[in-house]
Amino acid sequence: MWRKRSIPGVAFGASAYLLWGLFPAFFGLLAFAGAVEVLAERIVWTLVVVLLVLAVTGRLRELRGIDARTWRLAAAASLAISVNWGVYVFGVLSGNVVQCALGYFVNPLVTVAFGVLIFRERLAGAQWVALGLGALAVLVLTVDYGRPPWIALVLACSFATYGLVKKVIRLDALRSVAAEGVVGAPIALAFLLVLAVRGESSFGSGVGHTALLIATGPVTLVPLLLFATAAQRVPLSTMGLLQYLTPALQLLWGVAVLHEPMPPSRWAGFALIWCALLVFSAHALLRARTNRRAAPALPVPDPGR
């Protein structure tokens, strides 16, 4: 039974992470617009697409039942993901795709660190080793770049913050994205209107440019839906391993396609990060296996129901 559900689930998850890994190729096409304009367009068109999906599936009215606390959480999530999206687009457009990849390699370690600092979680020895290696990697890369890799750090911290909010918000993927868009879209629209009035808007400057800006909506939403589907069918330990597809592809794009510089010292920093993630993932897999063995056997559901 698990195999029947997990095989397509893994396909959904891998597809989501592969699409996210190809984001540098897509957002690199938007160099005609500034990072802030791309962010604003992305917020607006993602909201348009998700509202259309909710309308077609007859779920649009479900947004009315969201309570005030959930709207506040949606506002926090909207702020965190807006920072993440904006810095990511800036990183791609400024030729720092390798740093963007680093941010998503570091993200799992930042999430663990947030758990310790915010929720006072207790870590096993292996997790402390992983965090130590991650901190050492950031130090090595700071020396290599001559400054802290702020693009990577902001991406990692903003996405970890977004993940924390998503853990407590009581909305499914579609309604959550819609609520975040409803909060952020008015600000994004105001910015786009100012650009239009000043004659500085890229939207409408050409069919190709306009189509690419509109495409930011479905390009954003499709992998989110694939991820949400996979998360319901695949164990968290498997999803945790699949997530490394995204930064691996982004690193490959930055090095092989954009030919970003990767001196030995930078490779050393990435190697430390990979060692940290290896320790972290091995510990998570062992703990998941132990928990499965300790869990009581569950009755197999009747497929006829």
Side-chain angles (χ1 to χ4, degrees):
M1 186 68 180
W2 184 86
R3 285 181 177 274
K4 291 180 181 179
R5 289 175 58 84
S6 66
I7 292 175
V10 169
F12 283 125
S15 297
Y17 286 117
L18 286 171
L19 288 174
W20 280 324
L22 294 174
F23 268 18
F26 173 75
F27 284 103
L29 300 175
L30 301 175
F32 58 86
V36 180
E37 183 180 3
V38 173
L39 169 63
E41 294 280 3
R42 188 178 184 185
I43 291 171
V44 170
W45 290 110
T46 299
L47 175 61
V48 169
V49 174
V50 76
L51 289 179
L52 284 173
V53 172
L54 287 171
V56 169
T57 56
R59 299 182 55 197
L60 196 57
R61 67 184 64 183
E62 294 178 14
L63 294 178
R64 300 175 186 172
I66 299 176
D67 57 57
R69 176 181 178 274
T70 303
W71 278 115
R72 288 193 294 270
L73 289 172
S78 179
L79 176 60
I81 201 61
S82 295
V83 171
N84 184 269
W85 286 357
V87 172
Y88 181 82
V89 172
F90 171 80
V92 172
L93 297 184
S94 62
N96 287 285
V97 173
V98 169
Q99 261 208 72
C100 293
L102 174 63
Y104 291 108
F105 275 126
V106 173
N107 174 250
L109 302 177
V110 173
T111 300
V112 172
F114 277 12
V116 174
L117 296 173
I118 298 173
F119 299 112
R120 305 295 181 185
E121 294 179 359
R122 299 179 64 181
L123 301 184
Q127 291 173 309
W128 281 114
V129 170
L131 286 180
L133 287 171
L136 180 59
V138 171
L139 179 61
V140 169
L141 290 166
T142 297
V143 173
D144 171 73
Y145 281 107
R147 63 189 183 281
W150 71 268
I151 292 176
L153 295 176
V154 172
L155 285 176
C157 292
S158 60
F159 200 70
T161 302
Y162 182 68
L164 289 177
V165 178
K166 297 289 274 189
K167 285 183 68 173
V168 297
I169 195 169
R170 296 179 179 178
L171 293 174
D172 60 84
L174 272 178
R175 286 194 301 159
S176 180
V177 172
E180 293 158 21
V182 167
V183 172
I187 300 172
L189 275 173
F191 175 78
L192 293 174
L193 286 174
V194 170
L195 285 184
V197 169
R198 295 171 60 177
E200 299 174 0
S201 175
S202 300
F203 190 85
S205 62
V207 175
H209 289 179
T210 301
L212 283 171
L213 290 172
I214 293 175
T216 58
V219 163
T220 297
L221 189 60
V222 168
L224 281 174
L225 296 180
L226 290 170
F227 173 82
T229 303
Q232 297 174 349
R233 302 176 177 220
V234 178
L236 285 176
S237 56
T238 303
M239 293 297 289
L241 294 177
L242 286 175
Q243 72 178 318
Y244 301 131
L245 284 172
T246 294
L249 283 172
Q250 292 178 356
L251 176 62
L252 182 62
W253 185 269
V255 174
V257 178
L258 301 181
H259 305 293
E260 293 186 25
M262 283 294 289
S265 55
R266 200 162 299 173
W267 281 117
F270 270 86
L272 286 169
I273 287 290
W274 294 329
C275 288
L277 294 175
L278 180 62
V279 171
F280 177 77
S281 300
H283 175 265
L285 288 172
L286 288 173
R287 185 171 59 182
R289 183 177 299 177
T290 301
N291 290 341
R292 282 199 300 269
R293 288 177 178 174
L298 297 175
V300 177
D302 182 358
R305 291 183 180 178

